[in-house]
Structures are given as structure tokens and as C-alpha cells.
Amino acid sequence: MSTMGDGTRAVRAGLPEPEQYEPTLPGPVFAAHFHLSGEPVGPYTYGRDTNPTWTHLERAISELEAPGEQVETTVFASGMAAISAVLLSQTRTGDVVVLPDDGYQALPLVREQLEAYGVGVRTAPTGGDAQLEHLEGARLLWIETPSNPGLDVCDVRRLVEAAHSAGVLVAVDNTLATPLGQRPLDLGADFSVASDTKGMTGHGDILLGHVTCRDPRLAAGVRRWRKVVGAIPGPMEAWLAHRSLATLQLRIERQCATALTLAEALAGRTDVTGLRYPGLPGDPSYPIAVRQMRRFGSVVSFELADEQTAERFLAALRLVDDATSFGGLRSTAERRARWGGDAVAEGFVRFSVGAEDPADLLADVERALAAAAL
């Protein structure tokens, strides 16, 4: 499937070989145990270890992460389970991890846990490849690009080359871009990690995460961690996720195109400041993003005058839900400072573009901005 287009690959990914009178995508397998006699040499023995529904989904994600290559994907019950699996399975007391200081809001919680286990943590911003200065003696570099919610981008190839030269493993949180926007393994990373709660499944009704590796030894460590902590997805969630992947290219194409159109419209307004979108030619991240990304994501961020203005804007929107998370078919937006964990202004808005008609969405945003100014 390596020569197929993204749309073809998405609708075919992970499907079993055709079998007469059987469904093209088998239904979810609900099983805590399987028939098992003699030595346990088969692929399915106990429901915490393996499940046929996971297998189909993991193969599908692998085909999207690295078409035509031999990689291994492990799915998890959430994005945080996937993140924790990499960071906690690959480090020991005395190791050092380099994290972004402008990444996902829950990363500080992981940092606290790492430090409680005796793992040293260094942090630096995503922008300017600032993490380069902290690699000496580290075990693992964690990259989040584009960063959430600030949308800074770092040069993955440059960071990977420096890290590997220093004997440091590299994991990339690819949640915002998805494999159709960016392929971390092709850029040299050891782990491609994502919260599939977001754009990968895209319907806002599933919590899921995954880790994909080329190195079987690294993959085995991640998979063992899932078994030890039991951070497994339910079969129904895994089946729904696989079902949702079929529309990934359709969703992402519409969302990314509309996100760029929205960013271009906001760029001409005096009541909007701090506008960020990696696909906008004038964005600080654009020169790097255009070299390593194939699509630039569904998220646009910007600032309004203050908390009150931002809240009036969000309340006036009719086609956009005031909700956290991103990457869904229905547009969402929120004032990120309400959570208290991001270093953003009180009027900072993270806007996730959905699949609505672009003209309708832009009209709704323009009307809400006008209402917010009153």
C-alpha cells in the first residue's frame, strides 16, 4: 500500500483478507478469555494481552504511520496512557528526560511522576529547537510539534540527529498533525505517539491513544507496559476507532483547508492578535513546518483583548461548541487560560476547525467577533 494515496490507504487500512460471506471489517470481539489448551502459543490467550479487534486497528494505524514498512503499533485506553507508556517504560531511576515546557497541559503531571521515581527532567520551549541545549546525558527526548496550544514547530530531523548522536531516544507527540500531516518515524523518531481521541478518530466520542515504533525491542517495552498497568482500550472503542479511520483523509482535507482560510481571514483583523497557524506563510513556524509537514492541522490559535472579550466571542458562536479537545468534525473553541495550566494570555483562544462548510463557519466567527466587541 506504500504507493497508494492517503484516501485509499485510510479506507483500506487494517482490513483482513476478504472471506466469503464475512464482513469487510469484523465486529468488535468481546472476550476476557479464549479457548486455550496445551501450551499458550496462539495469538489470543487473555483479554488484557491481546484482542483481534486491537490487532486490526493496530495494523491500520501502522499502515498510516509508515506505509509499506514494518512497524509495530500498540493502542491504549487514552492518549495519556500512550504518553506515560513511553516515558515510564523507557526510563529508570537516574535517567534524564527532556520535555517541552509548552506542551500538552498534562505533561507536568507526568513530570511529577517521573521525578517521584528518581528520573531527572529538563524542559525547554518547542520553538527555536531550544531542547537541543539539554540533550547531554539524557535518555529520552520528548518532542511535541506543533505544540499545543501555542502551535510552535521545531525541526524534528535536526533534533533527532543531535539526539541520536548523543545516544538519546526520541519520541514525537504527533497528535495535532496526525500521520496524514506528519510522519515522525520518517523524520527519524524512535516513537510516534498520539492521542487518537483527537483528529485520528475525529468524532469526539472515543478516548484512545497509540504508540508506533520501528524497533521491535522498543515496541516490546511499550507493549509490556500496557500489560503491566492494564491501560487497554475496550473492544468497542477500538472498533469505532478503526471505523473512523476510513474518513480520516476526507476529514483532514476539509479541516486543514478551512483552518487556513480562517487563519487568513483573522490575519486581516485588528481585534485579533497573536495569530498562529503553521500553514500560514507569514507564521513564524511556517519555514520549518513546510519542510516536514504534509498538512498543517485543524487548530488555529489567537488572542482577543481580554478574558471578557474572549468569553463574549465564545458565547456568541452558533456553529462552534465551547469545549476542550480538538480535531473533531464539529468545530470547538475554548479560552485556554480557564484551565490554569498553559502560559497563555487570558484572552487566548484555541480554535479547532471542524468539517462545516467554510463559508458558514467563517460567517459565524465574523459575527461572533463583532458581537464580542460590543
Side-chain angles (χ1 to χ4, degrees), residues 311 314-315 320-324 331-335 338:
E311 292 291 352
L314 294 169
V320 182
D321 296 329
D322 189 343
T324 195
S331 292
T332 60
E334 69 170 334
R335 191 179 66 83
R338 66 181 176 176

Side-chain angles (χ1 to χ4, degrees), residues 243-264:
R243 182 275 324 256
S244 299
L245 287 182
T247 61
L248 178 60
Q249 188 265 349
L250 296 172
R251 292 185 279 106
I252 294 297
E253 285 289 342
R254 166 61 74 89
Q255 290 170 286
C256 291
T258 306
L260 178 58
T261 301
L262 174 62
E264 290 170 339

Side-chain angles (χ1 to χ4, degrees), residues 29 46 50 99 103 146 185 195 213 230 246 258-259 265 299 321 334 346 363:
V29 174
Y46 184 64
T50 50
L99 300 178
L185 299 184
S195 169
C213 308
T258 306
V299 179
D321 296 329
E334 69 170 334
E346 290 296 327

Side-chain angles (χ1 to χ4, degrees), residues 261-316:
T261 301
L262 174 62
E264 290 170 339
L266 294 175
R269 298 187 63 99
T270 57
D271 54 350
V272 171
T273 60
L275 174 68
R276 298 300 304 271
Y277 183 67
L280 194 64
D283 189 274
S285 292
Y286 182 80
I288 298 174
V290 77
R291 295 200 304 266
Q292 66 188 25
M293 300 184 72
R294 301 162 61 233
R295 297 174 178 87
F296 302 102
S298 63
V299 179
V300 178
S301 67
F302 55 91
E303 293 179 22
L304 298 178
D306 50 35
E307 175 182 346
Q308 292 72 31
T309 304
E311 292 291 352
R312 289 196 298 270
F313 166 69
L314 294 169

Side-chain angles (χ1 to χ4, degrees), residues 33-62:
H33 57 263
F34 301 82
H35 289 295
L36 182 66
S37 59
E39 295 299 317
V41 295
Y44 305 108
T45 57
Y46 184 64
R48 190 184 66 251
D49 300 336
T50 50
N51 178 289
T53 309
W54 303 350
T55 299
H56 293 311
L57 175 60
E58 290 171 341
R59 288 173 180 169
I61 294 174
S62 292

Side-chain angles (χ1 to χ4, degrees), residues 70-72 169 185 190-191 212-221:
Q70 189 66 39
V71 298
E72 183 173 340
L169 295 171
L185 299 184
D190 301 290
F191 305 90
T212 304
C213 308
R214 271 203 182 89
D215 187 332
R217 294 170 300 175
L218 297 178

